[in-house]
Amino acid sequence: MPRPTRCVASKTPRAAIATTLAFLALISGVRAGMAETFAYVGNADSNDISVFKLSESGEMTPVQTAAFTGVEKPGSSTPLAITPDHRVLIAGVRSQPFQAVSFAIDPKTGQLSHVGNGPLADSMANIATDRGGKVLFSASYGGNKVALNPLSANGVVGEPKQVIPTGLNAHAFLPSPDNRYVFATNLGSDQVLSFAFDVTTGTLTPSAPPNYKVPEKSGPRHFVFHPNGKFVYLIHELNGDVAAFTYEAKSGAWDEIQRTTALPEGFNGKPWAADIHITPDGRFLYASERTTNTLTAYKVDAASGKLTTVGSVPTEKQPRGFNIDPSSRYLAAVGELSDGMTVYAIDQSSGALSKLKSYPTGKKPNWVEFLSLP
C-alpha cells in the first residue's frame, strides 16, 4: 500500500512560518495602501473649510480647519470644486473682491495648504472645473451670468476668459460627462442653457438649440448626470420638483421622461429645494429640501433612468448642501442654520438613509465635497 502523504508544513515548519508571515505582510500592505476618504465642508460665515477623515464605519474625525487667506468678509455661500487630478481644492468667495481661493491637497493626509487666489467675474453661486481640469466654470445668481476662467498648472484661477450674460439667476454651470457641452440653470427664467465647449481653445459657444424650457416658476437649480452618461436629474427650487431626462451625448439634448417631487408626504407650505446628488454607482439619488429640513431618497432604474421614491428623513436645519462618499455607502449633509453635519449610512439594497452621527462644523456650512486618496 502507498504510504500516506506527509504534510509539507510539518516537515518544513520554517517554510510554513515564512509563508504565513509573507501573507500577513501582504495583507498589511494592502490595508496600508487602501484609499483614505476625506470630506471638505465650506463654511460661509467663518470663512474656512472644515476637513474630516471618514472611516470605514462612517465615523468622521476632524483633521483641519483651513482659513481663506486674503478673505476678510463672509460670503453668502462657499461653493467648492476639486480638480480632476485630486491635487487642488478651489473655493469660491461671494464677498467682494470676488475671488477663487486655491488649496493644494496633501496626498497622504488630505490636509489643505493655501496656493493662491484668483479673480472671479462676480459673486458665484456655483463653481466646477471641466473634466480635464484646464478651466473653471462659474455661475452668478445675482449677476445673471456665467463665466470661464483658465486654471494654471498649480490650480490658481486666472483672469476671466469669457463672461456670458444669461437669463435670470444663473445657478449651476457644469460640464457634460464627455466634456463636449456645458449647461447652466437659470432659476429665474425657468430654463437650462446649453453651450458647446471647445477643449482645445478653452472657449464656449451657444448650442443649437441654446436652451431648454422647464415649467414656469419652477426654478431649476442644481443638476447631476448619471455615472453612465445617459441620464440627467434636475431639482427645482421653487416647486420642489425633481425631473429626470435622457441625455443624448452627441447633440447634448435633454428629453424629460419623468417628474416627481423632493417634498415629503403631507407637505403643506412653500417649497425651497436645494441640492441633488447621485451615488457614484448610479443606484440611488438624493435631494434636499430646506422648508422641511429633509432629505429624500430615490431608487434609480438602471435601464430607463426613472426614479422610485424611497422616502424622506429629517436632517440638519436648512440643508443647502450635501454629498455622497466615493464608496456610495455614506451621505453627509450640512445645515446652514445648525452649523453642523450629519452622516447617514445608505442601505445598499433600498437606498434608505439611517442616521449615524452629527458633528459641529464652521459657521453657516453649505457645501460638501468628498475625495478618496490612495
Side-chain angles (χ1 to χ4, degrees):
M1 291 179 66
R3 297 174 63 185
T5 304
R6 297 179 65 189
C7 176
V8 175
S10 64
K11 191 174 182 180
T12 56
R14 289 183 180 177
I17 291 170
T19 301
T20 302
L21 290 175
F23 176 74
L24 291 174
L26 176 64
I27 294 297
S28 176
V30 169
R31 284 177 179 167
M34 286 176 66
E36 292 189 319
T37 299
F38 298 89
Y40 300 90
V41 177
N43 305 302
D45 278 2
S46 52
N47 284 336
D48 54 29
I49 297 171
S50 301
V51 184
F52 296 86
K53 185 177 178 179
L54 177 69
S55 73
E56 282 289 309
S57 65
E59 182 84 12
M60 288 281 198
T61 303
V63 296
Q64 184 191 20
T65 299
F68 291 159
T69 303
V71 178
E72 296 180 0
K73 298 178 182 178
S76 57
S77 72
T78 307
L80 305 178
I82 295 175
T83 55
D85 60 11
H86 298 171
R87 292 175 55 242
V88 179
L89 180 144
I90 304 170
V93 178
R94 299 187 69 182
S95 57
Q96 290 187 352
F98 307 122
Q99 57 188 321
V101 183
S102 295
F103 299 87
I105 301 171
D106 188 292
K108 293 182 179 178
T109 67
Q111 293 193 29
L112 305 175
S113 57
H114 181 248
V115 178
N117 298 358
L120 292 174
D122 209 319
S123 168
M124 296 302 187
N126 186 279
I127 61 172
T129 71
D130 78 295
R131 304 292 178 182
K134 301 296 184 185
V135 303
L136 185 77
F137 303 120
S138 56
S140 176
Y141 182 88
N144 308 316
K145 62 173 70 81
V146 294
L148 179 153
N149 295 59
L151 286 176
S152 64
N154 65 355
V156 175
V157 175
E159 293 282 346
K161 184 176 181 179
Q162 282 183 284
V163 179
I164 304 170
T166 65
L168 293 175
N169 311 131
H171 212 298
F173 195 33
L174 306 175
S176 63
D178 62 5
N179 218 30
R180 295 179 61 236
Y181 296 94
V182 190
F183 301 97
T185 53
N186 279 179
L187 190 148
S189 295
D190 298 312
Q191 64 182 355
V192 178
L193 300 184
S194 175
F195 299 88
F197 177 53
D198 188 318
V199 178
T200 304
T201 62
T203 55
L204 299 165
T205 54
S207 300
N211 62 64
Y212 303 97
K213 293 295 292 182
V214 297
E216 267 190 56
K217 298 183 180 179
S218 60
R221 180 181 169 93
H222 284 187
F223 61 96
V224 63
F225 284 92
H226 192 285
N228 67 14
K230 296 178 181 178
F231 310 106
V232 62
Y233 302 93
L234 172 65
I235 190 166
H236 300 71
E237 179 175 320
L238 304 183
N239 65 3
D241 280 0
V242 172
F245 302 79
T246 58
Y247 179 69
E248 210 286 302
K250 186 177 180 181
S251 64
W254 297 28
D255 185 22
E256 186 172 325
I257 55 173
Q258 184 190 16
R259 186 166 286 262
T260 183
T261 183
L263 303 173
E265 215 171 309
F267 175 82
N268 184 17
K270 184 179 179 182
W272 197 24
D275 206 2
I276 188 167
H277 291 282
I278 193 167
T279 53
D281 62 17
R283 297 192 300 140
F284 307 111
L285 183 82
Y286 299 89
S288 66
E289 204 286 319
R290 289 171 286 183
T291 299
T292 56
N293 305 314
T294 55
L295 295 166
T296 299
Y298 312 86
K299 200 165 189 174
V300 182
D301 184 274
S304 70
K306 290 186 176 181
L307 306 173
T308 301
T309 302
V310 175
S312 300
V313 297
T315 191
E316 296 283 345
K317 196 171 183 181
Q318 203 162 296
R320 184 169 179 161
F322 71 92
N323 220 319
I324 299 158
D325 88 294
S327 75
S328 299
R329 293 188 298 153
Y330 301 108
L331 182 151
V334 293
E336 286 188 302
L337 299 185
S338 59
D339 295 342
M341 171 180 67
T342 297
V343 178
Y344 302 83
I346 298 174
D347 185 281
Q348 294 301 292
S349 59
S350 69
L353 298 175
S354 57
K355 180 179 176 179
L356 296 179
K357 193 174 178 180
S358 296
Y359 304 84
T361 62
K363 295 180 180 178
K364 200 179 179 183
N366 49 62
W367 204 280
V368 183
E369 289 287 339
F370 275 103
L371 176 63
S372 285
L373 296 169

